[in-house]
Structures are given as C-alpha cells and as structure tokens.
Amino acid sequence: MKNKRFKRAEDESLNLDEMVSGIVRGERKWLAKGITIIESQAKHHQILAKELLKKLSSITRKTSIRVGITGVPGVGKSTFIESFGSMLCDQGLHVAVLAIDPSSSLSGGSILGDKTRMESLARNDLAFIRPSPTAGTLGGVHRKTRETMLLCEAAGYDIVLVETVGVGQSEYVVREMVDYFMLLTLTGAGDELQGMKKGIMELADGLFVHKADGDNVGKANKTVSELNQLLHFLQPSTPGWTTKAYPLSSTTKIGLEEVWTTIQAFIQTTKESGQFIQRRTNQRLEWLRSSLEEEILDQFYQKQQVQTLLPLMKEQVKEGTTNVREAVDQLLQVIKK
Ligand SMILES: Nc1nc2c(ncn2[C@@H]2O[C@H](COP(=O)(O)OP(=O)(O)O)[C@@H](O)[C@H]2O)c(=O)[nH]1
Ligand SMILES: [Mg+2]
C-alpha cells in the first residue's frame, strides 16, 4: 500500500510506515509522535490515527501488564511510580507511565508538575512517561489513553502504569482499562476508614497504606489490619482473587518489592482461571460500545441541520411551546431522513 502522506506542510517529512516501524523498534521519539497524533483534535490527524492503529493492530506483540493507580492528591502516587518504575527498570523491564487527570482538562495539565517527581524514571532509557491528554471530555481522554496504551504495547513496553487522581469518575474509567487496580491510601482512625468510599475499595485489587515509614509505621500497620477486616465484608474486585491491604513506603522502599510479587501472583492466578482474558475481552467490548456511542453523538451534533434546529428546540422547550418528546422527535428527523 502506498504511504499516506501527512497533509500539513510541517508534517510533510513524516510518513505512516516510517512511524509504524519506528514505534515497533521501540523508539521513544516515534512513540511520542504517534501519541501526539492520537491526541490531536485535527481532522487529518484523526484519520491518520485510525490508520496507525489499524497497522499496529496487525503486528503481533507480547501481552503487557496494565496497572492502574489511584488515590487522593498528595497520597504519593507519582512518588510511588518513580520508585516502583525504577525498580522494574532495574530488573530490565520496560515501563510506560500514562496519566488520566480529569482536572487537567480545566487546568491544562496539572500532572506535568509530576514529571519532576519522576525525575530519575524520566531519565531512564527503559521508561517512557507521558503526561495526561489535556483536551476534551473524560470520555475523550479515556479513548486517547486506551489508544496510547496500545501504542506503548506495540513499542514493547512490559508494564503500563496508569495514574489517576481519585476524583470524579476517573477511577471507574481506569478500572475499565487495566488488569490490576491499586488504591493508595493513608493511615487514619477507624472512623475515617469507614468514611472511605466503599465503592472505590470494591474496585481495587490491592489497598496500599502509603507513607508507612518513620513515626508512621505503627499507625500504618494498624490501618492495614483495620482495612483487612473491612475487606472481609466487601465484594472482591476480581472474582477468585482476595483483595488485601499492605503497608508501603516509596521513600524507604518497604513493601515495594511485595507490590511486584503481588501483581505477578495476580496475573498468574487470573490467567489460570481465565479471568484475565475474560476481563480484557469485556473491556474491548465495553470500549466498542463507548466508542460507538461517542462517534454517533459526535456525528449527530456535527450535523448542520442539528446545529440550526437545536437552539430553536431549546428555546421552544424553555417557553413550553414544544414538549421534550416532540423536540426529540423533530431533532431525530434529521438522521431519519
Ligand atoms: N513519608 C513519605 N512521604 C511520601 C511518600 N511518597 C510520597 N511522599 C510525599 O507525599 C507528597 C505527595 O507526593 P506525590 O507523589 O506528589 O502525590 P500524588 O499527588 O498522589 O501524586 C510529596 O511531598 C512526597 O514527597 C512516602 O512513601 N513516604
Ligand atoms: Mg501525582
């Protein structure tokens, strides 16, 4: 097939096949360019992104391990990723770090400051760090992160770490795209633990009481056993796997090695039970559903007739001269035609 040339003048020097082979060779420069195209809102980039993904999906690659990390701001997610990622790189593993930060759509990329928290990992040849996409809705960020993950896997990364801030819907979004989902939390009195959102605890495959160092060790261990008691009453996130709590410090590295052994045990257990494949299949189907919905809505709202009719209908519904059902019918006439 003939190479599809980039349309814009500044992109003239690039072509898709060059990019595909660059990514497959694991060159970070090409990986970064590919992700930029996936994140771009420009129409000609979106067309290119689809072709890029199509080409890459036909290339067989090993299965990476996808790990999601959540917790409130300040709990130490970025510091953990720096220590944990560096430890994995020391073992010769390739580590990709992605971020979903719902607040960054507003602030323009708060995770950027985190890159300084991951200074040594950022310099490591075996690591790749990508700040969160800043433009678009959470749904759009979701799609971009998923596609970015595929690119990282094509580039040969063994482990993809996805960091998300524990606000809004982002935990659910990340749970939907990873194999192992971990919640970082801090020490606290029993009361505070009860207040911890049960829903979030039920999403996690592991709870890690972070900053278990210095004067905090005793309190952290107490919190760990309180959490373990609480977990008895909750539904595990992954059938056949018992979610447990562990103490962890990213500064003293206590418990860091255990995070990795736990994740490996999780992967082995779920692969043996078939849960691993089943979850990934379900995730792909869910992705199909959400992508389809997103695309349909997009196409609908982009229609010229919808754009002229919608404000009119809004006005009439506001004034009560048209009821909602009538307005919906009239708008849907546009696509029925
Ligand atoms: N004592 C201690 N402090 C930590 C640890 N991990 C992170 N911190 C500190 O917690 C603060 C927030 O860390 P950061 O990684 O930015 O948190 P994030 O917002 O969850 O990404 C920083 O001041 C870190 O130095 C840890 O294991 N022990
Ligand atoms: Mg952070």
Side-chain angles (χ1 to χ4, degrees), residues 71-80 114 117 163 210-213 248-252:
V72 295
V75 74
K77 297 177 295 297
S78 302
T79 312
F80 164 72
D114 279 3
R117 289 233 194 287
E163 174 180 351
H210 206 203
K211 309 192 187 181
D213 44 51
L248 173 68
S249 166
S250 296
T251 44
T252 64

Side-chain angles (χ1 to χ4, degrees), residues 142-186:
H142 179 190
R143 175 184 60 74
K144 290 168 193 172
T145 306
R146 268 191 183 277
E147 292 176 353
T148 297
M149 199 151 69
L150 294 182
L151 253 61
C152 291
E153 292 180 347
Y157 285 87
D158 302 291
I159 295 139
V160 183
L161 303 175
V162 185
E163 174 180 351
T164 188
V165 180
V167 293
Q169 291 293 303
S170 64
E171 298 100 330
Y172 295 89
V173 166
V174 175
R175 166 74 280 185
E176 268 304 311
M177 58 170 86
V178 297
D179 306 311
Y180 185 86
F181 190 58
M182 57 192 291
L183 172 71
L184 298 191
T185 181
L186 297 172

Side-chain angles (χ1 to χ4, degrees), residues 185-327:
T185 181
L186 297 172
T187 54
D191 281 356
E192 287 166 41
L193 288 179
Q194 299 292 344
M196 191 196 271
K197 280 178 276 173
K198 178 170 160 264
I200 302 305
M201 278 178 73
E202 278 182 331
L203 285 184
D205 296 308
L207 305 183
F208 295 86
V209 180
H210 206 203
K211 309 192 187 181
D213 44 51
D215 294 343
N216 212 20
V217 174
K219 264 194 279 176
N221 288 332
K222 188 164 168 276
T223 305
V224 166
S225 45
E226 285 170 343
L227 281 174
N228 275 326
Q229 276 168 22
L230 222 60
L231 281 165
H232 282 305
F233 302 103
L234 301 181
Q235 206 73 269
S237 179
T238 304
W241 175 260
T242 313
T243 301
K244 284 188 202 146
Y246 313 80
L248 173 68
S249 166
S250 296
T251 44
T252 64
K253 308 204 177 359
I254 283 170
L256 205 61
E257 185 65 50
E258 199 184 355
V259 177
W260 183 222
T261 37
T262 303
I263 292 173
Q264 285 174 299
F266 175 88
I267 298 296
Q268 201 191 337
T269 305
T270 53
K271 277 190 174 165
E272 279 167 10
S273 69
Q275 187 66 36
F276 184 89
I277 292 291
Q278 201 189 328
R279 172 173 270 152
R280 285 217 173 175
T281 306
N282 290 343
Q283 289 177 344
R284 272 205 302 281
L285 291 175
E286 173 56 24
W287 189 14
L288 169 67
R289 193 195 58 75
S290 62
S291 303
L292 197 59
E293 280 181 11
E294 203 185 317
E295 191 87 3
I296 289 170
L297 283 178
D298 222 43
Q299 289 191 14
F300 176 76
Y301 285 112
Q302 273 175 16
K303 282 202 185 298
Q304 197 52 55
Q305 282 162 290
V306 171
Q307 287 181 6
T308 39
L309 190 58
L310 188 59
L312 219 71
M313 288 295 107
K314 275 187 181 166
E315 201 51 45
Q316 291 181 8
V317 165
K318 214 162 79 186
E319 284 168 3
T321 52
T322 303
N323 71 44
V324 170
R325 190 176 282 244
E326 251 174 84

